[in-house]
């Protein structure tokens, strides 16, 4: 008697949950076989499930965790067969071929598992808990392991998504913002910039899988990698652990510019978890708490004024310093004390005194970066009868960070950033088998992230400290120092791109069903995600002043005289309140044509509603009229762009078992990207909600530090930021062809050709670029009334081709290799 048992996880809507649905069914070739009994034992949790086959050879689908199993098949009059240590990974299929032979019931035969994914058409990589826990990971950040996957490359240095200790990567030619992060099947993305919200502690992870192309219709939202992180649950046994990792500077080498003492470095990473049964074989829980405290010294060289220069003695500097009112040189390049502006002395006090010789790089700074991270979470699983599973999970994380150098705007300490990042992720998931071949899943998700990046001096009322009226009308959140750029010296002052305060919330509902009919496994589902983002970004609220030397001959003399060569300040009245909803649905058929060939075909539809503001506080530039127009008026959509509703995404794949040890698989798919809300936010920085004023000396007037931003005078340069009204959803096509072979009982190797082609990718250009010529620059612009016009459109393309090879030895006898 021959039949096959398939152990598989059902990736509901492409988003795997911890111990997501595991089913056991018989191969169609076993139809008509009945009376056999299958026992599936979870060897890691210590409980089992069993059932007898139906008359048609099928076996009722049950809920089991992703784990390691022992499968035993018995039937009266036949020898018992057992398959040991069967590892069912996230989004995987394990085929076990049994041949029941006539014999004494006391006889037993062992069935060995094949490592080949003979039913899977994609070639994602699963990283298991043993690898995650035992590999050396800096800061215990397990997402670094994604770089072990073929086709996954690190981003460019200091890219937007890889700063402040977070992880980013390019997967098979896709941009770094094209990745989709899932935590137990629920959205774990900050839609504003498409970075993940929570990276759970290493000890809470069961495993995670990264699939970087040609995945099935269950997956969507993004066109790059799908990163499915599965958290652990409790077991029948009580378990607990506690840890601390400690690092310091004792063995660190000195920086070349350190002042004889190695920079401070202390890192404590600690935490633990505890879990066990609520009701044996029925309900389990797991609690975790983790923390990080780090103090890390930084070394930078800055150029600051000398004590003599602060007092007006510029005799050591080359060049002539002139009186801007008489155009005569100051004798000996010394500015009289009576001519030094009182506010100028305040500005110069922002510079520390030199601690190194010379006039360039004469200040060595060694400030300390401070970071504290606290995480905590809880998970509970209830096995309902009959055939139901309810999972509740909550994870929280908070990062408090002090950066001595805000946005790398200066090398002078004292003008850093105070950053607070908070994330929450929660899930309610109900799974239920209905009959022998039908499975339903309902998942509710909550994802919230908050970010506040404030200047180091956010609590300083500089208007009172300096007794200057031009800083008195600031909102409390905009307090701090203006930014000063002095020619020949390092800049000082708080970053002009702060404060930044943002809160984002995503609510998710998804329903998925899976049913078996003969040789076909059908899957279908829909998903709705609603995202709301509120925040402020007060650019240039405190102003920026430049001292280029154009007034008196040098930057430092301009400062001493209190006469800026350029001053720029914004009047932001543009709080951001963005709203968007995404809808998706799919249908997929996995057809086992025979014992050697499996085919997958599916179709997915996605619609991402353009982001709108409930109060229509955005404006766009209309190229046909040459005007900046408020959204929702004069025929302009409330989002500023037209909706793109034509996002159908077909998917195809096959897997062919050429031999018992060799599988050939391939696939093709079209994938759409949900985009980033930061693009829509560019429409907040247009008049009348955001205006700039620029001031500079003229032949008849000057500006001074006593009032560099007067209420009259100056100019209001308008440089609109706008989205193309014809912007469409970015897409990327993936295709691959892979040959995989098993060597021995523990190792597989594969070689693949992988390609991708992106279309309608976001890019920006200056819509008001001046035409070539020698006449006045303004007159040669298409729109002379404006300066530059930032025009964001979907006109970018990409292509990628790769030869990828991989060898994978699963963890066995204390060794694994990837």
């Amino acid at each position: 008697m021959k039949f096959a048992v398939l152990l598989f996880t059902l990736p509901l809507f492409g988003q795997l949950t911890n111990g997501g649905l595991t089913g056991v069914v018989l191969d169609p070739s076993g139809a008509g076989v009945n009376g056999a009994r299958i026992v599936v034992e979870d060897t890691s949790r210590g409980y089992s499930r069993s059932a007898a086959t139906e008359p048609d050879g099928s076996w009722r689908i049950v809920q089991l965790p992703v784990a390691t199993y022992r499968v035993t098949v018995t039937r009266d009059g036949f020898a018992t067969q057992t398959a040991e240590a069967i590892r069912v990974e996230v989004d995987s299929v394990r085929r076990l071929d049994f041949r029941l032979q006539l014999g004494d019931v006391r006889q037993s035969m062992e069935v060995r598992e094949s490592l080949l994914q003979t039913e899977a058409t994609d070639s994602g990589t699963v990283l298991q808990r043993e690898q995650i826990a035992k590999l050396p990971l800096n800061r215990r950040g397990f997402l670094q392991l994604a770089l072990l996957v073929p086709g996954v490359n690190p981003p460019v240095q200091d890219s937007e998504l890889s700063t402040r200790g977070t992880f980013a990567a390019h997967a098979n030619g896709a941009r770094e913002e094209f990745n989709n992060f899932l935590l137990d099947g629920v959205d774990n993305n900050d839609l504003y910039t498409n970075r993940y919200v929570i990276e759970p502690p290493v000890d809470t992870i069961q495993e995670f899988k990264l699939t970087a192309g040609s995945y099935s219709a269950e997956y969507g939202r993004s066109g790059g990698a799908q990163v499915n992180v599965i958290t652990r649950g409790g077991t029948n046994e009580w378990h607990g652990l506690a840890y601390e990792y400690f690092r310091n500077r004792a063995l660190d080498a000195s920086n070349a510019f350190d002042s004889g003492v190695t920079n401070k470095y202390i890192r404590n990473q600690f935490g633990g978890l505890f879990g066990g049964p609520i009701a044996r074989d029925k309900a389990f829980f797991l609690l975790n708490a983790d923390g990080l405290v780090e103090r890390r010294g930084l070394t930078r060289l800055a150029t600051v004024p000398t004590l003599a220069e602060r007092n007006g003695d510029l005799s050591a500097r080359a060049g002539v310093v002139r009186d801007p009112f008489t155009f005569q040189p100051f004798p000996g390049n010394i500015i009289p004390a009576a001519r030094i502006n009182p506010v100028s002395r305040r500005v110069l006090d922002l510079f520390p005194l030199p601690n190194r010789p010379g006039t360039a790089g004469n200040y060595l700074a060694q400030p300390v970066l401070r970071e504290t991270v606290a995480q905590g979470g809880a998970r509970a699983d209830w096995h309902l009868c009959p055939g139901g599973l309810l999972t509740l999970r909550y994870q929280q994380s908070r990062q408090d960070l002090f950066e001595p150098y805000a946005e790398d705007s200066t090398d002078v300490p004292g003008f850093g950033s105070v950053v607070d990042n908070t994330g929450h992720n929660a899930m309610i998931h109900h799974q239920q088998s209905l009959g022998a071949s039908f499975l339903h899943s309902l998942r509710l998700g909550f994802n919230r992230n908050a970010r506040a990046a404030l200047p180091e001096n956010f609590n300083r009322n500089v208007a009172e400290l300096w007794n200057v009226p031009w800083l008195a009308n600031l909102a409390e959140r905009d307090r701090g120092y203006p930014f000063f750029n002095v020619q020949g010296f390092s800049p000082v002052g708080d970053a002009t791109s702060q404060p930044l305060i943002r809160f984002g919330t995503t609510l998710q509902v998804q329903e998925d069903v899976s049913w078996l009919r003969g040789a076909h496994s059908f899957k279908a589902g829909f998903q709705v995600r609603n995202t709301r983002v509120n925040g402020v970004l007060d650019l240039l609220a405190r102003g920026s002043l430049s001292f280029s030397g154009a007034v008196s001959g040098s930057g430092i003399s301009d400062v001493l005289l209190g006469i800026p060569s350029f001053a720029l300040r914004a009047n932001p009245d543009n709080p951001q309140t963005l709203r968007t909803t995404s809808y998706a649905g799919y249908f997929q058929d996995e057809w086992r044509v025979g014992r050697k060939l499996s085919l997958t075909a599916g179709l997915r539809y996605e619609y991402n509603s353009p982001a709108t503001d409930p109060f229509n506080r955005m404006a766009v530039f209309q190229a046909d009229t040459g005007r900046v127009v408020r959204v929702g008026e004069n025929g302009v959509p409330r989002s500023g762009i037209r909706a793109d509703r034509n996002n159908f995404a077909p998917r195809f794949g096959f897997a062919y078992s050429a031999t018992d040890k060799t599988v050939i698989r391939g696939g093709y798919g079209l994938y759409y990207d949900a985009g980033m809300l930061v693009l829509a936010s560019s429409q907040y920085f247009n008049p009348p909600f955001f205006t700039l004023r620029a001031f500079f000396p003229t032949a008849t007037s000057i500006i001074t530090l006593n009032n560099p931003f007067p209420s009259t005078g100056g100019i209001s340069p308008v440089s609109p930021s706008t989205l193309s009204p014809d912007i469409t959803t970015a897409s990327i096509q993936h295709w691959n062809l892979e040959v995989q072979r098993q060597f021995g009982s523990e190792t597989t190797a594969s070689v693949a050709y992988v390609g991708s082609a992106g279309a309608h990718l976001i890019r920006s250009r200056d819509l008001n670029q001046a035409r070539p010529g020698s006449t006045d620059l303004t007159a040669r612009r298409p729109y002379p009334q404006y300066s530059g016009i930032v025009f964001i459109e979907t006109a970018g393309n990409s292509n990628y081709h790769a030869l990828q090879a991989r060898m994978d030895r699963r963890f066995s006898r204390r060794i694994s290799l990837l």
Side-chain angles (χ1 to χ4, degrees), residues 324-325 327 696-703:
F325 299 102
F327 301 103
F696 43 84
T698 67
T700 57
S701 65
I702 61 172
I703 55 174

Side-chain angles (χ1 to χ4, degrees), residues 1 34-37 73-81 99-109:
M1 180 190 302
N34 57 32
R37 185 170 186 82
V73 179
T74 61
R75 190 187 184 196
D76 292 342
F78 291 84
T80 298
Q81 292 199 17
R99 181 187 296 269
L100 297 189
Q101 298 179 355
L102 291 172
D104 192 305
V105 295
R106 292 171 297 180
Q107 293 179 331
S108 178
M109 299 179 62

